[in-house]
Amino acid sequence: MSTSLDIRLKRADKVYREEENITGVIAITTASDLKHDGITLTVEGCVNLQLSSKNVGIIDAFYNSVKPIQLIGVTCEVSGSSRLPAGTTEIPFEVPLKPRANRVLYETYHGVYINISYAIRCDVKRSFLSKDLQKSQQFLVQYWPGRNPGPPPHIKDTNRSVPFKLSPTTLAAGGAGAPDFLLRGQLDGICCSVNRPFTGHVILEKCAAPVRSIELQLVRVETCGCAEGYAREATEIQNIQIGDGDIPTNVDIPIYMVFPRLFTCPTLITTNFKIEFEVNLVIVFHDDHLVTNNFPLILVRE
Amino acid sequence: MSNAYNIEWKTSTNDTLSAKTKELVGTKTSDHPLKTTTVTERIPRRILGSQPSTGRTTPVSSPSALLEPLSTALEGVDPLTAFAIEEMDPLSKLAAEETDSRSNSDKKSDQRVEVDSWGAKKAAILSKYTTSEKISIVTSFLSDGEKVVVKAQSTAVDKIQHRLEQLDCIDEGSQTKLDLSQTEYVNRIEQLNRELVSAWNSEQRVKSLKIAIQCAKLLADTSVLRFYPSKFVLITDILDVFGQLVYNRLSTKTDSHKLGSKLAKLPEDFTPDMVSDSAKETCLNWFYKIASIRELVPRLYVEMALMKSYYFLSLSECQDALRRLTHMISGIGNPLVAVYARCYLCRVGSSLSNRIKNKQYLLQNFHRFLQSYQHLFSRSVKGELTQQKMSLSVYMSLFTPALDYMLQTVTLDSSDFLLDDLLERCRVHGNSSLILNTIMSAFKPTLISIRTLQFLEMIEHCLDQGIPLHSLLRTLGLCVSVAPPPFEHRRQILNIAWRHIASLKDVEEYIACAEPWVLYVVKYFSHREINTILGDIIEHIAPDRSYEQYYNQLKYIVENIVHNIQDFEALLVMDNFLPLIDLFQEESARVEVCKKILIGSNISVHVVNDPVVVNALMFLCSTLHDSVNALTPDDEYRQIGDILCHVIKVIDYGRDFEQQLTFYVEARGMFSNIDIVFVQLVQCVNALSVKTRQIVKGAHTRKTGDFVRACAAYCFITIPSIKSVKHRLRLYLLSGQVALFNQCLGQADACFKAGVSTISEIQSEKAQFPEAELVPYVKQFLSILLVVPDNPDCSVLNLTRSMLNVLQGYSWDNTASLISIYLSVIDMLSVMAQEWYPYHIDKVESNDSLYGSDKKFIAEINKICSVVISELMSKLQALGPCTKQSSFAVELFVKVAVRNELTNQLLVLALNLWNLAVKDGSLDKRYLIRTKDYLKHKSSSNNTRLQEIVEKME
C-alpha cells in the first residue's frame, strides 16, 4: 500500500445542513512521487427506494426497484494533472451544500425500503498503467431546526399531551383473554422532536394477573409509490422495556425513549414516498397475553 | 607464658587519686541523642494533576519528609476498606484504588465518608449474604471459543448496523446456562471482569459493553434471593470498572486532542467546552448505544455506570439523568431488584457529590421506595418466597444493606424535620419494621436517642412480620449506647426495653439484644443496675449450657463493661461479675476474656489493696497463668507475662510492708511458669527493701532488720528459678547491692558469690548474654566489689579472687574483652590499696577501714596484681601487632606509670609499652601528646621515676 487517499471532514459528527459548506482536507500519503491526471471531488446524495417482495413478485422487486432520486450531484476539479511529492499532501476543500433544482435535501435516513444517504467522493485519475484512486466519505444531512420541509398541516394542535386509558373494554378485540386491568397514562405529545426523547408516563391502577413486561415499540412506516400503486410497509426499529416484571400498582412509571440516530428522521411525506413513525405501547401479561395500543407520531427537527 | 613476664607489682598508695577526687560540675542536658525528633512542620505532599500546588514542591530532607510517605499511605483508606481492597482481584483493585486516589486528591470530607462507608459495607455484605444453593448464570462469554465476526465495514452505517447486530446476537446467540456453587459463581464473575478489561484493552469496546450489559442483566435475576446482595456488590464492582474505563478513555481523548501535550490532564471539574468534539461525539455515541438496550434493568444499570461521563456533554445532564432514573426505577417490578438499583443510583450520585449540589434525588429515591412499599407484600413476592422457602423476615433483612446505605446518604446533612417526616410516613405504613430499622440505623444516633421513647412505642405497635423485635431493639440499643438519651427518660427507657428483652425466649435473640443494652446500662447507670442486668443475663443463658455457643457475644459484653465502667474495683466486687466469667468454660475463650479484663483494667486502676478486689484479680491472673504451657506461642507468653507484671505492680498495700511481702510470696507461688513475673517480683521486693531503708533512714531496728533480711532471702531463693541467665545475672548483682545497702552483709556476699558462679554458667548460653554485654557487667561488678567488705570466714579478697578465677576459666571468643577487663581489675585493685576509698556505702565498713592499709593486705593485692599483669602481658603479646594491641599498650602504660611505684623492672616495661604503642603509628597522635603532657605535669611533683620515664619518652 504505497499510496493512500483519505477524506477528513472538519466536523467530528459529520452533520451538515443545507447551504452550509462542507469543509475538510483530502490527504494523500505516498511513498514516492505520484503522477496523476487530475483530482476531482464529487458530492452526491440520493433517495433509494426498494419495493417489498410482499407487495410485488420477487422478480418484480428485483427489476422494478424504483429509480433513485438524486438530490444533489456536484463535481468539481481540485487539480489538473500534476505530480505530488512523496509524503503526505493535504489539500483543503470547501463545497457548498446545495440541492439540485426542484429538489430538497432530505435528512439522512436508513430504513428497510427507503434509504437517504449522502457522500463526498474523491477521485485521483492516473495514467493508463496505474489504478485510479477513489475514496468515499459519508456525511449526514439535517434540517435547520424548525425548517422542516412541508410539515403536516395538523401539527399545531398535536403539540399537546395525550392522555389515554386502557382496559379490557377499550380493546378492539373486545378484551377476550385479557385479565381485568386498568392502565392510565399520558404521552407528553405525539409531535416529537427527533433529537429529544419521547416521554410520558403510565400508571397501572389495577391488574388481576401479574404483568410480565411493558414495552415501547418504535415502528417505521415506509410507503413507496410506483406505477402499480403504492406499497406500505411497517417494520420495527427498536423495542424498549419500561416496566419489568410485576410492576407495583398506582405508581407512575415514566415512558422514556431516545430516538435512534440514522434510523429515524423527521416525518417525510413526498409525492413518491412517505416515511412515518408510530409507537406501540405493549403490555405483556404473565400468560404471554399481549395488549397493544398504537400511537402515530409526527417527528420534526427542532 | 606467665613465667616470661614475672613482674613484681607495687601499688602506689599516694596521691594517685588526686585527679579523681575533684568534684565535677554537672550540666543539665536539654536533649537526648536517642529521642525521636518531633515533627514541627509538615510539608504538604504534592499531588499530581490535582489543584495547582503553590506551596513548596521539593520537600527539604527533614524527618517529616521521611515520615510523610508512611503516614500518607495510611491516610484516606481505613483498615476495613484496605482489607476489602485486598480481597478484591487485582483489576478491580486497580480501579478502586484509582477512584480512591481521585477522591483523595479532592479534599471534600463527605466524599471520603462516602467511600469509606461503602467500602466497609461491601465487605460486610459479602460476608453476610452467602448461599449454599446453586446459582445459575446465563452467559455467552464464558464458554471458550467465541467466534469473532469481522466483516469488511465500508461505511459508517454498516458499522453501526453491524454493531447493533452484534448487540442482538448476544440476546439470542450461543448462550449457555450453568448451575454453579457460590464460589464458582464468584469466580465466574471475576472472570467476566477480567474478560471485560482485556476486551477493552484490545480495542474491542463493543464486546466490553456487551459484557457489562450481560453482567447488569444478572442483577435482574433473583432466583437465589439470599445471595442477591452479594451478587449486587460483585457486579456493581464490574460496572464501576466499566464506567471508569469509558470515562478515562473519553478524558484521554480530550487531553491529547485539545490540550496539546499528553501530560496535560483534564482537570477534575472540567466543563463541556474544554472537551474536544470527537470526544463529545464518542460520548454521545455511548449514550445512544445504551439507550437502545432492550431490557430495562441492564439499561438502567449501564447508564448509571456511565453517569460520570455525562459531564463530557453538559453540566446539567447528570443531574437530570439522576432525577429521571429515580423515576424510571419504579418500572422494575421486583422490589428487591428495584431497591438495589436505587442503592446503586445513590452510590453513583454521591460519588459525584463534589459536582452535584442538589441532593434532592437521594431523598426522592427513598420516598419512591416508600411509595411502592406495599408492593413488598404483593402476590408475586409471596409466590417467590414460598418457592424459595424463605420467611418474610429473612426476605426483609435482604433489603437492609441497600436501604441503610440510601438513607445514610440522605442523612449526611439531615435535619430533625426530615426524621419527623419519615417517622410520620412510617406510621402510615403501619409502623413498618423495615423502615423503622432503616431509620434507626441511618440517622445520627443523637437524633434517634432523644426520641427513644417514641421509637419504643412504635416498635411495640409494629404490625408486620418483617424485621423481628429483637433486631429492632438491638438497633435501637446501638443508638442509645452511643448517644445518651435525655436524662429524665433513661430509667423509663431501660425498663421498657429490658421488659421486652427479658421476654425473649430464644437465647440467640436475647444475647444479640442484650449486648448493646448492657453498654447502655454501663454508661448511664450505677453498679446496682449493672449487677441486676448481669444477673438477668446469667439466668437466661445458664440453663442447658446454652452459653457455650455465645462466647463471642459474651466476650463483647464483658469487654464493653470493662472499657466503660468508671469504677473498676466495684465491678470486681459485684455479685454477678465473676459468675459471668465462670460461664466461659472453654479454656481459650476464658483466657481471652481474662486478658481483656486485665488489659482493660490498665486504664482505670491506679492502686489496689482491697482484699476482695485483689482476690478477684488474682483469680483472673491465675486463669491466665494456668493457660500457659509448652505449646503457648512466644508472643502470647510475653503478653500474658506483661499483663501479670502490670497487675503485680498495681497491687500496693501502702505502708503495710509485711502484707506486701506476703502478697509477693503468694504471687511467686501462683505464677511459677512465667520468667518475667519472677523478675518483676524480685524487682518489687528489692524496691520494697529500699523503701524500708528510706523510712528508717538507714538505722534499722530489729524488726526492720529482720524484714529486709527476709526480703534479701526472698530474692536469693527466687532468682535461681528464673530461666533466663541474663536476668539472673543482673538480679544477683542488684539484689546484692540492695542487701549491702541494707547492711545485710551475709546475704549480699551470698548474692555476689552466686552472681560470680553464674558467670561461668553463661558460657553455654552465650547468645543470651554476649561478651559485649558481659564486659560492662563485669566492670560494674568490680566497682561494687571495691566496697564489699571481706567475709571474715574466708580468705582475704575472696570474692575478687573467685571472680578472677571465673574470668580466667571463661572461654573468651575475643581476647580483647578479657584484656579490657584485666585493665579494669588493675584499676580496681590499685584503688583497693588506697587508704581511703573514693566511695562508700552508708553504714557499711569497707576494706579500707577493716584493714587500715595493713602491710599484709597490700602485699596480697600486689600479689594478685602481679599475676594479673603477667597474664595481661602474655595476652597482649598473643594479640600480635595491631591497632588494638597498641591502644591496649598505651592504656597499660598509663596504668603502670600511674598506679604503681615504679621499680626498675617496671620502668623498662613501661617504656617498652610506650615504644610499642608509638611504633605502630595508627593511634591518635594528639592523644599520645596529651598523655605525655599529663605525665610531665604529674612528674613535676618530685616523682623522679616518672620524670625518668618522661625524659625517655619520644
Side-chain angles (χ1 to χ4, degrees), chain A residues 13 110 138 207-208 215 238-244 246-248 252 254 256 258-259 261-263, chain B residues 155 157 160 281 285 288 291-297 299 324 327-328 331-333 368 375 379-380:
Chain A
D13 56 1
H110 293 275
Q138 295 244 351
C207 186
E215 287 158 22
Q238 68 174 10
N239 194 345
I240 293 286
Q241 194 183 32
I242 57 164
D244 173 43
D246 183 20
I247 53 166
D252 62 306
Y256 182 88
V258 177
F259 292 114
R261 292 193 291 191
L262 298 178
F263 304 107
Chain B
T155 63
V157 183
I160 291 166
E281 185 62 19
N285 258 332
Y288 269 115
S292 66
I293 297 170
R294 207 192 85 81
E295 280 166 87
L296 179 66
V297 176
R299 189 169 67 242
R324 175 167 51 76
H327 284 87
M328 286 172 77
I332 301 177
R368 280 258 160 187
H375 199 57
R379 58 203 161 194
S380 52

Short mmCIF file of all heavy atoms in Angstrom, two decimals, chain A residues 13 110 138 207-208 215 238-244 246-248 252 254 256 258-259 261-263, chain B residues 155 157 160 281 285 288 291-297 299 324 327-328 331-333 368 375 379-380:
data_model
loop_
_atom_site.label_atom_id
_atom_site.label_comp_id
_atom_site.label_asym_id
_atom_site.label_seq_id
_atom_site.Cartn_x
_atom_site.Cartn_y
_atom_site.Cartn_z
N ASP A 13 -18.83 15.23 13.99
CA ASP A 13 -20.10 14.50 13.88
C ASP A 13 -20.57 14.38 12.42
O ASP A 13 -21.55 13.70 12.15
CB ASP A 13 -21.18 15.15 14.75
CG ASP A 13 -21.38 16.61 14.40
OD1 ASP A 13 -20.69 17.10 13.49
OD2 ASP A 13 -22.22 17.27 15.05
N HIS A 110 -31.90 5.80 7.23
CA HIS A 110 -31.67 4.43 6.80
C HIS A 110 -32.81 3.56 7.24
O HIS A 110 -33.00 3.34 8.43
CB HIS A 110 -30.35 3.91 7.37
CG HIS A 110 -29.17 4.62 6.80
ND1 HIS A 110 -28.60 4.24 5.62
CD2 HIS A 110 -28.50 5.70 7.21
CE1 HIS A 110 -27.61 5.07 5.34
NE2 HIS A 110 -27.53 5.97 6.29
N GLN A 138 -18.95 9.22 3.87
CA GLN A 138 -20.35 9.55 4.11
C GLN A 138 -20.45 10.79 4.98
O GLN A 138 -19.61 11.03 5.83
CB GLN A 138 -21.02 8.40 4.86
CG GLN A 138 -21.10 7.13 4.07
CD GLN A 138 -22.52 6.71 3.79
OE1 GLN A 138 -23.45 7.29 4.33
NE2 GLN A 138 -22.69 5.75 2.91
N CYS A 207 -54.73 -4.64 38.25
CA CYS A 207 -54.46 -5.71 37.30
C CYS A 207 -54.65 -7.04 38.01
O CYS A 207 -54.08 -7.30 39.06
CB CYS A 207 -53.03 -5.60 36.77
SG CYS A 207 -52.72 -6.77 35.47
N ALA A 208 -55.51 -7.89 37.43
CA ALA A 208 -55.85 -9.15 38.09
C ALA A 208 -54.70 -10.15 37.98
O ALA A 208 -54.47 -10.94 38.89
CB ALA A 208 -57.12 -9.74 37.47
N GLU A 215 -43.66 -2.53 27.30
CA GLU A 215 -42.64 -2.17 26.33
C GLU A 215 -43.12 -1.08 25.39
O GLU A 215 -44.31 -0.91 25.16
CB GLU A 215 -42.24 -3.41 25.51
CG GLU A 215 -41.41 -4.38 26.30
CD GLU A 215 -41.45 -5.79 25.75
OE1 GLU A 215 -41.77 -5.95 24.56
OE2 GLU A 215 -41.18 -6.71 26.53
N GLN A 238 -36.95 -0.34 17.06
CA GLN A 238 -36.43 -0.83 18.33
C GLN A 238 -37.55 -1.06 19.32
O GLN A 238 -38.66 -0.56 19.16
CB GLN A 238 -35.39 0.13 18.92
CG GLN A 238 -35.97 1.45 19.37
CD GLN A 238 -34.94 2.32 20.06
OE1 GLN A 238 -33.77 2.02 20.04
NE2 GLN A 238 -35.38 3.40 20.66
N ASN A 239 -37.22 -1.82 20.34
CA ASN A 239 -38.19 -2.18 21.36
C ASN A 239 -37.55 -1.90 22.71
O ASN A 239 -36.48 -2.43 23.01
CB ASN A 239 -38.52 -3.67 21.20
CG ASN A 239 -39.75 -4.04 21.98
OD1 ASN A 239 -40.20 -3.28 22.83
ND2 ASN A 239 -40.31 -5.20 21.69
N ILE A 240 -38.18 -1.03 23.47
CA ILE A 240 -37.59 -0.60 24.74
C ILE A 240 -38.53 -0.99 25.87
O ILE A 240 -39.71 -0.68 25.83
CB ILE A 240 -37.39 0.94 24.75
CG1 ILE A 240 -36.34 1.34 23.73
CG2 ILE A 240 -37.05 1.44 26.12
CD1 ILE A 240 -34.94 1.03 24.14
N GLN A 241 -37.95 -1.66 26.87
CA GLN A 241 -38.78 -2.06 28.00
C GLN A 241 -38.83 -0.93 29.02
O GLN A 241 -37.79 -0.34 29.34
CB GLN A 241 -38.12 -3.29 28.63
CG GLN A 241 -39.00 -4.03 29.58
CD GLN A 241 -38.27 -5.19 30.21
OE1 GLN A 241 -37.05 -5.13 30.42
NE2 GLN A 241 -38.98 -6.26 30.52
N ILE A 242 -40.04 -0.61 29.49
CA ILE A 242 -40.10 0.43 30.53
C ILE A 242 -40.59 -0.13 31.85
O ILE A 242 -40.38 0.46 32.90
CB ILE A 242 -40.99 1.62 30.11
CG1 ILE A 242 -42.40 1.14 29.76
CG2 ILE A 242 -40.36 2.37 28.95
CD1 ILE A 242 -43.39 2.28 29.71
N GLY A 243 -41.22 -1.26 31.80
CA GLY A 243 -41.65 -1.89 33.05
C GLY A 243 -41.27 -3.35 32.98
O GLY A 243 -41.51 -4.02 31.97
N ASP A 244 -40.61 -3.83 34.06
CA ASP A 244 -40.10 -5.20 34.02
C ASP A 244 -40.69 -5.97 35.19
O ASP A 244 -40.54 -5.57 36.34
CB ASP A 244 -38.57 -5.16 34.11
CG ASP A 244 -38.00 -6.55 34.24
OD1 ASP A 244 -38.46 -7.44 33.54
OD2 ASP A 244 -37.06 -6.73 35.05
N ASP A 246 -43.60 -7.84 37.65
CA ASP A 246 -44.88 -7.48 38.26
C ASP A 246 -44.76 -6.09 38.86
O ASP A 246 -44.45 -5.92 40.03
CB ASP A 246 -45.20 -8.51 39.34
CG ASP A 246 -46.55 -8.25 39.97
OD1 ASP A 246 -47.35 -7.53 39.33
OD2 ASP A 246 -46.78 -8.75 41.08
N ILE A 247 -45.03 -5.09 38.04
CA ILE A 247 -44.79 -3.72 38.49
C ILE A 247 -45.80 -3.31 39.56
O ILE A 247 -46.93 -3.79 39.56
CB ILE A 247 -44.83 -2.73 37.32
CG1 ILE A 247 -46.14 -2.91 36.54
CG2 ILE A 247 -43.65 -2.91 36.41
CD1 ILE A 247 -46.41 -1.78 35.61
N PRO A 248 -45.39 -2.46 40.48
CA PRO A 248 -46.32 -2.04 41.54
C PRO A 248 -47.46 -1.21 40.95
O PRO A 248 -47.29 -0.51 39.97
CB PRO A 248 -45.44 -1.20 42.46
CG PRO A 248 -44.24 -0.83 41.66
CD PRO A 248 -44.06 -1.90 40.65
N ASP A 252 -46.39 5.84 39.24
CA ASP A 252 -46.21 6.27 37.85
C ASP A 252 -44.87 5.78 37.33
O ASP A 252 -43.84 5.89 37.98
CB ASP A 252 -46.33 7.79 37.73
CG ASP A 252 -45.27 8.49 38.52
OD1 ASP A 252 -45.16 8.19 39.72
OD2 ASP A 252 -44.52 9.29 37.93
N PRO A 254 -42.29 6.10 34.23
CA PRO A 254 -42.05 7.01 33.11
C PRO A 254 -41.91 6.28 31.77
O PRO A 254 -41.42 5.15 31.71
CB PRO A 254 -40.74 7.70 33.48
CG PRO A 254 -40.16 6.93 34.58
CD PRO A 254 -41.19 6.05 35.17
N TYR A 256 -39.95 6.66 28.49
CA TYR A 256 -38.77 7.41 28.09
C TYR A 256 -38.07 6.63 26.99
O TYR A 256 -37.67 5.48 27.20
CB TYR A 256 -37.84 7.61 29.29
CG TYR A 256 -36.61 8.41 28.99
CD1 TYR A 256 -36.61 9.79 29.09
CD2 TYR A 256 -35.44 7.78 28.59
CE1 TYR A 256 -35.48 10.53 28.80
CE2 TYR A 256 -34.31 8.51 28.30
CZ TYR A 256 -34.33 9.89 28.42
OH TYR A 256 -33.21 10.61 28.13
N VAL A 258 -35.25 7.23 23.68
CA VAL A 258 -34.42 8.08 22.84
C VAL A 258 -34.58 7.59 21.41
O VAL A 258 -34.51 6.39 21.15
CB VAL A 258 -32.94 7.99 23.28
CG1 VAL A 258 -32.06 8.80 22.37
CG2 VAL A 258 -32.79 8.44 24.71
N PHE A 259 -34.83 8.52 20.46
CA PHE A 259 -34.94 8.11 19.06
C PHE A 259 -33.56 7.81 18.53
O PHE A 259 -32.66 8.65 18.63
CB PHE A 259 -35.58 9.23 18.23
CG PHE A 259 -37.02 9.45 18.57
CD1 PHE A 259 -37.44 10.63 19.16
CD2 PHE A 259 -37.96 8.45 18.31
CE1 PHE A 259 -38.77 10.82 19.48
CE2 PHE A 259 -39.29 8.65 18.63
CZ PHE A 259 -39.70 9.83 19.22
N ARG A 261 -30.38 7.51 16.21
CA ARG A 261 -29.94 8.31 15.07
C ARG A 261 -29.93 7.45 13.81
O ARG A 261 -29.87 6.23 13.90
CB ARG A 261 -28.54 8.86 15.33
CG ARG A 261 -28.53 9.87 16.43
CD ARG A 261 -27.24 10.61 16.46
NE ARG A 261 -26.13 9.75 16.88
CZ ARG A 261 -24.93 10.23 17.19
NH1 ARG A 261 -24.71 11.52 17.13
NH2 ARG A 261 -23.97 9.41 17.57
N LEU A 262 -29.98 8.08 12.67
CA LEU A 262 -29.96 7.42 11.35
C LEU A 262 -31.22 6.64 11.05
O LEU A 262 -31.74 6.68 9.95
CB LEU A 262 -28.76 6.48 11.19
CG LEU A 262 -27.38 7.12 11.28
CD1 LEU A 262 -26.32 6.04 11.14
CD2 LEU A 262 -27.22 8.17 10.20
N PHE A 263 -31.75 5.94 12.04
CA PHE A 263 -32.92 5.13 11.77
C PHE A 263 -34.22 5.91 11.94
O PHE A 263 -35.29 5.39 11.67
CB PHE A 263 -32.92 3.89 12.67
CG PHE A 263 -31.68 3.09 12.51
CD1 PHE A 263 -30.70 3.07 13.49
CD2 PHE A 263 -31.45 2.39 11.34
CE1 PHE A 263 -29.55 2.35 13.32
CE2 PHE A 263 -30.29 1.67 11.16
CZ PHE A 263 -29.32 1.64 12.14
N THR B 155 -18.82 1.43 5.29
CA THR B 155 -19.43 2.72 5.65
C THR B 155 -19.75 2.77 7.12
O THR B 155 -19.81 1.76 7.80
CB THR B 155 -20.74 2.91 4.88
OG1 THR B 155 -21.62 1.87 5.30
CG2 THR B 155 -20.52 2.81 3.38
N VAL B 157 -22.49 3.56 8.41
CA VAL B 157 -23.80 2.97 8.69
C VAL B 157 -23.67 1.47 8.85
O VAL B 157 -24.20 0.88 9.78
CB VAL B 157 -24.77 3.30 7.55
CG1 VAL B 157 -26.14 2.75 7.87
CG2 VAL B 157 -24.82 4.79 7.34
N ILE B 160 -22.34 0.69 12.22
CA ILE B 160 -23.33 0.79 13.30
C ILE B 160 -24.30 -0.37 13.23
O ILE B 160 -24.60 -1.00 14.25
CB ILE B 160 -24.09 2.13 13.20
CG1 ILE B 160 -23.13 3.25 13.54
CG2 ILE B 160 -25.28 2.15 14.12
CD1 ILE B 160 -23.63 4.61 13.18
N GLU B 281 -18.51 13.48 20.56
CA GLU B 281 -19.22 12.61 19.63
C GLU B 281 -19.17 11.16 20.11
O GLU B 281 -20.17 10.46 20.13
CB GLU B 281 -18.56 12.74 18.25
CG GLU B 281 -19.25 12.00 17.13
CD GLU B 281 -20.67 12.47 16.88
OE1 GLU B 281 -21.01 13.60 17.31
OE2 GLU B 281 -21.46 11.71 16.30
N ASN B 285 -22.27 8.86 21.29
CA ASN B 285 -22.47 7.53 20.73
C ASN B 285 -22.71 6.50 21.81
O ASN B 285 -23.58 5.65 21.68
CB ASN B 285 -21.23 7.11 19.95
CG ASN B 285 -21.48 7.26 18.48
OD1 ASN B 285 -22.62 7.17 18.03
ND2 ASN B 285 -20.42 7.52 17.73
N TYR B 288 -26.21 6.93 23.09
CA TYR B 288 -27.20 6.43 22.13
C TYR B 288 -27.23 4.91 22.17
O TYR B 288 -28.28 4.28 22.11
CB TYR B 288 -26.86 6.90 20.72
CG TYR B 288 -27.53 8.22 20.37
CD1 TYR B 288 -26.81 9.36 20.13
CD2 TYR B 288 -28.92 8.28 20.26
CE1 TYR B 288 -27.42 10.56 19.82
CE2 TYR B 288 -29.56 9.46 19.95
CZ TYR B 288 -28.80 10.61 19.73
OH TYR B 288 -29.44 11.77 19.43
N ALA B 291 -28.94 3.64 25.20
CA ALA B 291 -30.37 3.96 25.22
C ALA B 291 -31.15 2.93 24.43
O ALA B 291 -32.36 2.83 24.58
CB ALA B 291 -30.60 5.35 24.66
N SER B 292 -30.48 2.18 23.58
CA SER B 292 -31.21 1.22 22.77
C SER B 292 -31.15 -0.19 23.35
O SER B 292 -31.55 -1.14 22.70
CB SER B 292 -30.68 1.22 21.34
OG SER B 292 -29.35 0.74 21.34
N ILE B 293 -30.62 -0.32 24.58
CA ILE B 293 -30.63 -1.64 25.21
C ILE B 293 -32.08 -2.01 25.50
O ILE B 293 -32.84 -1.21 26.05
CB ILE B 293 -29.81 -1.64 26.52
CG1 ILE B 293 -28.35 -1.33 26.23
CG2 ILE B 293 -29.93 -2.99 27.23
CD1 ILE B 293 -27.51 -1.07 27.46
N ARG B 294 -32.45 -3.19 25.09
CA ARG B 294 -33.86 -3.55 25.13
C ARG B 294 -34.40 -3.65 26.55
O ARG B 294 -35.42 -3.08 26.88
CB ARG B 294 -34.07 -4.89 24.41
CG ARG B 294 -35.44 -5.08 23.82
CD ARG B 294 -35.64 -6.52 23.41
NE ARG B 294 -36.09 -7.32 24.53
CZ ARG B 294 -37.37 -7.36 24.94
NH1 ARG B 294 -38.29 -6.67 24.28
NH2 ARG B 294 -37.71 -8.09 25.96
N GLU B 295 -33.67 -4.37 27.40
CA GLU B 295 -34.26 -4.65 28.71
C GLU B 295 -34.03 -3.51 29.69
O GLU B 295 -33.02 -2.79 29.60
CB GLU B 295 -33.68 -5.95 29.28
CG GLU B 295 -34.35 -7.16 28.69
CD GLU B 295 -33.56 -8.42 28.97
OE1 GLU B 295 -33.79 -9.00 30.04
OE2 GLU B 295 -32.72 -8.78 28.14
N LEU B 296 -34.96 -3.39 30.59
CA LEU B 296 -34.96 -2.23 31.47
C LEU B 296 -33.80 -2.25 32.46
O LEU B 296 -33.04 -1.29 32.57
CB LEU B 296 -36.29 -2.19 32.23
CG LEU B 296 -36.46 -1.04 33.22
CD1 LEU B 296 -36.50 0.28 32.49
CD2 LEU B 296 -37.73 -1.21 34.03
N VAL B 297 -33.65 -3.37 33.18
CA VAL B 297 -32.66 -3.40 34.27
C VAL B 297 -31.24 -3.17 33.75
O VAL B 297 -30.53 -2.30 34.26
CB VAL B 297 -32.78 -4.72 35.07
CG1 VAL B 297 -31.70 -4.80 36.12
CG2 VAL B 297 -34.15 -4.81 35.69
N ARG B 299 -30.34 -1.68 31.07
CA ARG B 299 -30.24 -0.34 30.52
C ARG B 299 -30.00 0.67 31.66
O ARG B 299 -29.13 1.53 31.57
CB ARG B 299 -31.50 0.02 29.73
CG ARG B 299 -31.36 1.33 28.96
CD ARG B 299 -32.49 1.57 27.99
NE ARG B 299 -33.76 1.80 28.64
CZ ARG B 299 -34.83 1.03 28.50
NH1 ARG B 299 -34.78 -0.04 27.75
NH2 ARG B 299 -35.94 1.29 29.15
N ARG B 324 -34.28 11.49 36.45
CA ARG B 324 -35.04 10.65 35.53
C ARG B 324 -34.93 9.17 35.94
O ARG B 324 -35.93 8.45 36.01
CB ARG B 324 -34.50 10.84 34.12
CG ARG B 324 -35.11 9.96 33.07
CD ARG B 324 -34.75 10.43 31.69
NE ARG B 324 -33.32 10.66 31.49
CZ ARG B 324 -32.44 9.68 31.32
NH1 ARG B 324 -32.83 8.43 31.33
NH2 ARG B 324 -31.17 9.96 31.13
N HIS B 327 -37.03 8.04 38.72
CA HIS B 327 -38.40 7.69 38.34
C HIS B 327 -38.45 6.38 37.60
O HIS B 327 -39.35 5.57 37.80
CB HIS B 327 -38.99 8.80 37.47
CG HIS B 327 -39.37 10.00 38.26
ND1 HIS B 327 -38.49 11.00 38.55
CD2 HIS B 327 -40.55 10.35 38.82
CE1 HIS B 327 -39.11 11.92 39.27
NE2 HIS B 327 -40.35 11.55 39.46
N MET B 328 -37.50 6.19 36.71
CA MET B 328 -37.57 5.02 35.84
C MET B 328 -37.43 3.71 36.62
O MET B 328 -37.94 2.67 36.20
CB MET B 328 -36.50 5.10 34.75
CG MET B 328 -36.87 6.12 33.68
SD MET B 328 -35.53 6.39 32.54
CE MET B 328 -35.65 4.93 31.54
N GLY B 331 -40.22 1.31 37.36
CA GLY B 331 -40.68 0.32 36.40
C GLY B 331 -40.19 -1.08 36.69
O GLY B 331 -40.63 -2.03 36.05
N ILE B 332 -39.26 -1.21 37.64
CA ILE B 332 -38.78 -2.56 37.97
C ILE B 332 -39.78 -3.20 38.91
O ILE B 332 -40.07 -2.67 39.98
CB ILE B 332 -37.38 -2.50 38.62
CG1 ILE B 332 -36.39 -1.84 37.67
CG2 ILE B 332 -36.91 -3.90 38.99
CD1 ILE B 332 -35.00 -1.66 38.23
N GLY B 333 -40.30 -4.32 38.51
CA GLY B 333 -41.38 -4.93 39.27
C GLY B 333 -40.93 -5.60 40.54
O GLY B 333 -41.60 -5.54 41.57
N ARG B 368 -39.67 7.26 46.88
CA ARG B 368 -40.18 6.35 45.85
C ARG B 368 -40.28 4.93 46.38
O ARG B 368 -41.22 4.20 46.06
CB ARG B 368 -39.25 6.38 44.63
CG ARG B 368 -39.49 7.56 43.75
CD ARG B 368 -40.29 7.13 42.54
NE ARG B 368 -40.95 8.24 41.91
CZ ARG B 368 -41.81 8.09 40.91
NH1 ARG B 368 -42.08 6.89 40.43
NH2 ARG B 368 -42.39 9.14 40.38
N HIS B 375 -45.83 -2.99 47.90
CA HIS B 375 -45.54 -3.99 46.88
C HIS B 375 -44.72 -5.15 47.45
O HIS B 375 -44.67 -6.22 46.88
CB HIS B 375 -44.80 -3.31 45.74
CG HIS B 375 -44.82 -4.08 44.47
ND1 HIS B 375 -45.99 -4.46 43.86
CD2 HIS B 375 -43.83 -4.56 43.69
CE1 HIS B 375 -45.72 -5.14 42.77
NE2 HIS B 375 -44.41 -5.22 42.64
N ARG B 379 -48.51 -10.38 45.59
CA ARG B 379 -48.64 -11.83 45.29
C ARG B 379 -47.34 -12.40 44.72
O ARG B 379 -46.97 -13.51 45.04
CB ARG B 379 -49.79 -12.04 44.31
CG ARG B 379 -49.57 -11.24 43.04
CD ARG B 379 -50.82 -10.94 42.30
NE ARG B 379 -50.51 -9.82 41.40
CZ ARG B 379 -51.37 -9.11 40.77
NH1 ARG B 379 -52.65 -9.35 40.90
NH2 ARG B 379 -51.01 -8.12 39.99
N SER B 380 -46.68 -11.62 43.86
CA SER B 380 -45.51 -12.22 43.21
C SER B 380 -44.39 -12.43 44.21
O SER B 380 -43.66 -13.42 44.13
CB SER B 380 -45.04 -11.36 42.05
OG SER B 380 -44.87 -10.04 42.48
#
